[in-house]
Amino acid sequence: MTQHLRRLLAGFTLFLTEFAVTLALGTAGVVAFLALSREVFDQDAATFDAAAFQWTQALLGAQRQHWVEAVTFLASRNFITVVGLGLVGWLLVRRRHWYSLLVPVVALGSITLNMMLKQLYNRPRPLLPLTSASGLSFPSGHAMISASFYGLLIYFAWTRLRRRPALRYTLVAVLSVLIVLIGLTRVYLRVHYATDVLAGITAGLAWLIISIPLLQQLEKRVRKRFRKDPQLAEKQP
C-alpha cells in the first residue's frame, strides 16, 4: 500500500511539474504576443520595421530573390499540407498513433488560429512587395506555421533520437535555423513587417507548447481506459 501511494505521489508530482512548466512557457508566449500586438501600430514599431527591411536586404543580398522564394515556400500552406499528410501516413505505418495525431492538431490549429488573429488585428501588408501576396499581414502566417510545424519536428527529433545525439542535435539546429530563415525571407520580400514575423513565431511556439502536453494527457487517459477495458483494445485495428 505504501509503495502504491509513493508511485501515486510521484506521478502526481511529475504531472504538477510538467503542468507548471507548460503553463509558464505558454503564458510567456501569449504575453509576448500580446505585447507585440500592442506595439505594432506605434511609431517605434514602424521605425523598427523600416530598419528591418533594409537589414534583411543587406543580409540576404538584393540579387537572391529566387533563392529566398524557394526558402519561403517551405512554410507555404500547400507544402506544409503535403509534407504533413506524408508524415501522418509514415507515423501511422510505424504505429506512432499519438505522434500522428499531433501533426494535424498542431498544423491545422496553427493555420486556423492565424486566420482568426489576422481578422482580429486587420493589419494591411507592406507597400511595394517583391512577390505576390494576398490577405492581411499580422501575424505572419508563414512564420507562425513554420514555428509550430518545424518546432514539432524539433520535438520529435529531441524525444525520439536520444540514442543518436549527433543526428539529434544536427536536426534541431537545422530546423531552428530554418524557422528563423523563413521569417527573414518574409521581411526580405516585403510581404510582412518584422513585427508580423516576430508575433507569428511567438504565437506558433505558444500554440505548440500548449498543444503537446494537452494531447499527452489525452493519450494517457485513452491508454488507461484501454487497460481497464481489454475489449476496447481488442476492437482496435
Side-chain angles (χ1 to χ4, degrees):
M1 187 67 179
T2 304
Q3 186 177 4
H4 178 72
L5 181 60
R6 287 178 180 175
R7 290 180 180 177
L8 184 62
L9 289 174
F12 183 69
T13 302
L14 179 60
F15 169 75
L16 286 180
T17 302
E18 291 178 350
F19 178 79
V21 172
T22 301
L23 181 62
L25 292 175
T27 302
V30 172
V31 169
F33 174 83
L34 292 176
L36 281 167
S37 66
R38 285 187 60 186
E39 299 295 329
V40 73
F41 296 109
D42 290 352
Q43 187 61 37
D44 290 341
T47 303
F48 171 75
D49 287 330
F53 284 137
Q54 298 179 0
W55 182 75
T56 53
Q57 287 286 325
L59 177 67
L60 301 181
Q63 305 299 323
R64 300 182 183 180
Q65 185 172 340
H66 296 297
W67 172 78
V68 169
E69 289 181 345
V71 172
T72 203
F73 176 74
L74 298 178
S76 64
R77 293 179 185 176
N78 292 337
F79 181 80
I80 293 296
T81 298
V82 173
V83 174
L85 289 174
L87 182 58
V88 169
W90 182 77
L91 290 170
L92 288 174
V93 170
R94 296 293 302 272
R95 296 184 178 274
R96 303 293 183 184
H97 299 98
W98 177 63
Y99 287 101
S100 66
L101 178 63
L102 264 177
V103 175
V105 168
V106 170
L108 294 179
S110 180
I111 292 172
T112 303
L113 181 59
N114 179 260
M115 294 173 63
M116 294 172 60
L117 290 172
K118 282 181 181 288
Q119 294 299 320
L120 177 63
Y121 289 99
N122 196 34
R123 187 188 197 186
R125 289 185 183 271
L127 300 175
L128 304 176
L130 298 183
T131 188
S132 60
S134 59
L136 298 168
S137 191
F138 184 91
S140 167
H142 279 64
M144 188 168 175
I145 293 170
S146 67
S148 58
F149 183 76
Y150 293 116
L152 179 61
L153 297 187
I154 290 174
Y155 171 76
F156 287 165
W158 189 258
T159 56
R160 302 302 303 176
L161 297 175
R162 294 174 181 174
R163 297 181 179 179
R164 304 175 66 182
L167 179 59
R168 183 192 198 192
Y169 287 110
T170 299
L171 286 176
V172 169
V174 169
L175 292 170
S176 299
V177 170
L178 179 60
I179 292 172
V180 174
L181 194 56
I182 288 172
L184 290 175
T185 62
R186 303 309 287 169
V187 180
Y188 173 90
L189 294 170
R190 296 184 66 90
V191 292
H192 281 294
Y193 298 101
T195 44
D196 299 337
V197 170
L198 291 175
I201 292 176
T202 301
L205 292 177
W207 172 250
L208 178 65
I209 291 170
I210 293 171
S211 299
I212 290 176
L214 289 178
L215 289 175
Q216 264 185 331
Q217 294 304 315
L218 176 62
E219 183 208 20
K220 290 179 181 178
R221 292 187 178 185
V222 171
R223 285 185 175 181
K224 287 182 180 179
R225 187 177 179 185
F226 283 147
R227 289 171 183 172
K228 291 180 180 179
D229 191 348
Q231 292 182 353
L232 290 175
E234 291 176 0
K235 293 179 182 179
Q236 295 299 304

